[in-house]
Amino acid sequence: MLLKQYYLDCLAHASYLIGDKQSGTALIVDPQRDVDQYLDDAQERGLKIDRVILTHFHADFVAGHIELRDRAGAEICLGAAAEADYRFTPLHDGEVIEFGQTRLQILETPGHTPEAISLLVFDLAKSARRPHAVLTGDTLFIGDVGRPDLMASVGVSAEELAAMLYDSLHTKLLPLPDDTLIYPAHGAGSLCGKNLSADTSSTMGVQRRYNYALQPMNKEEFIRLVTADQLDTPDYFSYDATLNRRERPTLDATLERELQPLPLDEALRLSNAGAQLLDVREPGPFAAAHLVGSTNIGLGGQYASWAGILLSPERPIIVVTEPGQEDEAALRLGRIGFDNVAGYLEDGMAALETRPDLVGQFDRLAPATLDEELRTPNPPLVLDVRNAAELEQGTIPGSVHIVLTELGARMDELPRDRRVAIHCAGGYRSAIAVSLLRRHGFDDVTDLAGGFAAWQATMEQSGAAASKS
């Protein structure tokens, strides 16, 4: 038996290949939309991918089940409670899939979503009675459980799903042996839970001991616990969950259409008609020079997630990037189903060499410079765009806190006649925030290079220097 995990950092997403050398067959669980790695690995090992299984309809990315069906001839399999536009094989609780020395047993584990399943994996060469692992999808994470509040838009309450989740955990997963390996669909950074570990696997024994949601409690206590303090749900979650139920174009067909160079005049025409300008360069180059009106979401961070949160899947997107990065920019948007890329700015920022009137820029502040400005008679307003939990690491005195996900709706709380200096943890989100404010007419906006981490280090150093003197 072969069980391989693939982990996609930018979406904190884990997918799996389960293969069997004896039978020469394999299946893929919860694939990302770009599926070459699964096909290549299967071919290298002499395996045929004959099934693709979704543990549930994912909300934070578009899965690659359509791609594997069309490219490998794989049969799509979903939980028996699922409803979809395409043909699929329903998997019922207790059902067994056996091939060679590998056996899967289906566990219906609703709670994160109504149709959710988990997959109990047996390596028959070792034991036909004791499971080797369980693939838990978004039902059980390392350090957390799946959030139950994502179905309100279709009439299923968080409390209803939390009750289902409690039953799934206590009747299906918690009874498993301590040494059963736990393989979830997400890790730290995913918005599908609130306390996910950076670990990508664990054991049932470790989770039984340390996972806060698996501690002894009654159902009512569990419901209160798991429904409290969940982060706001991005709008694109419902869009992606719906897309995963539908027949749709494959990623390859989408990228072939999207990867078209746009001359500057055409990009401006589309922008004036409502297209979104997306600059995917890093914060430093964006600050030095950018196309006026563009939003900066750098490829170096959680690019797809922030694009999903801040952009619309309904309006065309024009990508501005360093030459050669167009494919990656469009591919990563495609992973969340944003198939609305109209093209990329031909020649990148070089296209603006004769149009300085279209170029914007701002100076990023070093921590020492911001400290000096805060001591002047007219100091800037410091805007902290970190999440609430990050404030425990400390704050800049006098700063105002508006989490980045809420900035678009709360811009009116900020002054337009005063300099605004924005910071996050490391400088990635603050550059996004600057671009948003500048796009909405805030002229005197800058950010803190290196974020709060750089500020804290600089203040500690200056304090140490002062104490020595």
Side-chain angles (χ1 to χ4, degrees), residues 126-296:
K126 296 180 179 179
S127 175
R129 300 184 61 184
R130 201 168 182 88
H132 170 72
V134 60
L135 276 59
T136 56
D138 286 16
T139 299
L140 175 62
F141 295 127
I142 310 306
D144 203 354
V145 292
R147 60 189 297 177
D149 62 329
L150 298 183
M151 301 290 292
S153 62
V154 294
V156 185
S157 73
E159 289 72 23
E160 288 177 276
L161 283 172
M164 294 181 195
L165 184 59
Y166 181 89
D167 292 338
S168 294
L169 294 168
H170 285 80
T171 62
K172 303 292 177 63
L173 298 180
L174 277 168
L176 295 174
D178 278 353
D179 60 353
T180 307
L181 294 171
I182 306 296
Y183 287 112
H186 288 295
S190 169
L191 293 175
C192 292
K194 59 184 178 182
N195 192 48
L196 280 71
S197 169
D199 296 333
T200 59
S201 65
S202 183
T203 65
M204 183 54 70
V206 170
Q207 290 309 295
R208 184 180 286 111
R209 182 174 181 182
Y210 294 109
N211 189 317
Y212 78 95
L214 300 186
Q215 302 313 300
M217 68 186 83
N218 62 38
K219 185 180 290 189
E220 290 69 28
E221 292 172 319
F222 177 85
I223 291 171
R224 285 195 296 270
L225 182 66
V226 300
T227 56
D229 302 322
Q230 293 288 358
L231 296 173
D232 291 339
T233 306
D235 290 341
Y236 84 97
F237 269 32
S238 59
Y239 175 81
D240 279 12
T242 299
L243 205 56
N244 278 320
R245 293 176 169 87
R246 292 179 175 169
E247 187 69 46
R248 52 160 179 80
T250 63
L251 180 62
D252 286 344
T254 297
L255 294 178
E256 184 177 356
R257 170 179 54 79
E258 292 180 336
L259 289 170
Q260 305 298 324
L262 298 173
L264 177 59
D265 288 347
E266 177 63 7
L268 294 175
R269 185 190 69 79
L270 290 171
S271 175
N272 291 333
Q276 304 164 102
L277 296 171
L278 174 61
D279 192 317
V280 305
R281 297 173 301 146
E282 295 308 296
F286 178 81
H290 57 266
L291 178 57
V292 171
S294 56
T295 300
N296 177 227

Side-chain angles (χ1 to χ4, degrees), residues 396-410:
I396 296 177
S399 60
V400 172
H401 177 240
I402 301 177
V403 66
L404 179 55
T405 53
E406 299 176 2
L407 183 58
R410 297 179 60 186

Side-chain angles (χ1 to χ4, degrees), residues 78-80 90-96 106-108:
L78 307 172
L91 300 177
H92 299 269
D93 190 56
E95 185 172 340
V96 171
I106 307 305
L107 305 177
E108 289 187 347

